[in-house]
Amino acid sequence: MTTEPSRASFRIGFVPGVTLSKWSRLWEERRDDLPLDVVEVTGDATEVLDVLRGDDRVDMVLARLPLALGDDFSSIALYEERAVVCFGKEHPLAAAGKDDELSLADLAGEVRHDLDPVLDEAQAIEVVATGSGVAVMPQSLARLHGRSGVTHRFLSDVPPTTIALVWPIGELDDDIDDFIGVVRGRTRNSSRSRRRDDDAQEAPAAKAKGPGKGVGTGGKGAAGGRGSGPGQKKTPPGGRGGPQRGTGRSRPRRGR
């Protein structure tokens, strides 16, 4: 894994509907040495992966699965989005309560504008707002493109979509690993997030200790000596007690 990437900024792509505010804030708190450059990615699944290639590419992208990752890309699933059906507030389906769920059977006979290849999600909702037909999509997109006169309900029998973090295979470095830690909830004090600080402090710390003063060196210092410092067991007085437990050594015999 590369440990010294050279970047002026760390570039993260995201598809519409994904919110990065929390992760961006955590990144700024932990990595103020490397600005986060956030890039919205639109288009189909092929275009989403294209942003990870070329000279002006992003380092990672938050995308919706499925994608044709093949042997070129790694991914980590982060969370799932439930599907909803959008329709006009005057549509007969609006009779269902806001907490009620619908099914695909309830959409029988309806025009599905989300299945029209010439319309994206925003355009599909624009058509729905006229009172014509319905559109099925992840809830985050329904909220993103929501408009007056349009409402939505959850669908009980449509599988959720998965939001995943994707990056090119073989390009895992400290910066990418740090962002993975942010989105997966690793704390600042986790072993991976402290890796860079540990590397920076290791050399001067070892020099300051000097020979024979380190912990666990086998010398007579804090970890291996016979002194009576904190955390050490005192040697039992001679002539008292039996063998020292766990050492495999018997009490020396007295001379006759």
Side-chain angles (χ1 to χ4, degrees):
M1 183 172 69
T2 304
T3 56
E4 294 296 337
S6 55
R7 294 184 176 96
S9 64
F10 192 67
R11 306 192 75 211
I12 295 293
F14 71 98
V15 296
V18 174
T19 302
L20 285 87
S21 55
K22 176 182 177 180
W23 296 331
S24 298
R25 184 176 66 254
L26 288 173
W27 178 266
E28 291 173 359
E29 292 174 356
R30 300 181 187 184
R31 292 298 308 274
D32 56 0
D33 62 307
L34 187 63
L36 194 66
D37 185 8
V38 178
V39 180
E40 185 173 19
V41 180
T42 58
D44 59 21
T46 301
E47 293 174 293
V48 169
L49 292 178
D50 282 344
V51 301
L52 292 166
R53 307 181 178 99
D55 296 333
D56 194 35
R57 65 181 182 174
V58 299
D59 297 298
M60 310 181 85
V61 63
L62 289 153
R64 286 185 179 85
L65 299 182
L67 292 172
L69 302 177
D71 296 328
D72 298 323
F73 301 98
S74 298
S75 68
I76 295 175
L78 299 178
Y79 62 89
E80 292 184 335
E81 301 175 302
R82 290 195 64 187
V84 299
V85 55
C86 304
F87 42 78
K89 290 185 176 180
E90 303 303 321
H91 193 283
L93 291 175
K98 291 185 177 182
D99 295 329
D100 294 334
E101 296 184 356
L102 300 176
S103 67
L104 289 176
D106 295 317
L107 310 185
E110 297 286 350
V111 178
R112 290 269 305 271
H113 296 295
D114 57 291
L115 300 179
D116 188 333
V118 302
L119 299 179
D120 60 22
E121 289 86 358
Q123 294 168 333
I125 287 185
E126 286 183 8
V127 177
V128 165
T130 66
S132 169
V134 300
V136 175
M137 63 189 67
Q139 185 186 26
S140 64
L141 290 176
R143 288 175 172 175
L144 176 65
H145 302 303
R147 53 183 298 166
S148 177
V150 176
T151 187
H152 64 265
R153 299 290 186 272
F154 284 114
L155 286 170
S156 61
D157 53 356
V158 175
T161 55
T162 299
I163 297 296
L165 186 60
V166 183
W167 71 95
I169 285 178
E171 297 193 10
L172 179 63
D173 56 37
D174 284 355
D175 297 335
I176 288 178
D177 187 58
D178 283 347
F179 193 80
I180 291 173
V182 166
V183 299
R184 300 195 77 174
R186 292 205 301 256
T187 65
R188 182 195 295 269
N189 294 325
S190 70
S191 58
R192 291 186 181 180
S193 20
R194 286 187 287 108
R195 178 188 55 250
R196 187 172 288 99
D197 293 336
D198 291 345
D199 291 343
Q201 295 176 10
E202 183 176 355
K207 183 177 180 181
K209 288 177 181 178
K213 297 182 181 180
V215 176
T217 60
K220 296 183 180 181
R226 300 180 181 177
S228 57
Q232 291 185 312
K233 296 182 179 180
K234 295 184 179 180
T235 304
R240 296 181 57 187
Q244 299 178 36
R245 295 182 180 178
T247 64
R249 297 193 301 270
S250 299
R251 179 169 55 87
R253 296 182 180 179
R254 296 183 181 179
R256 295 183 179 177

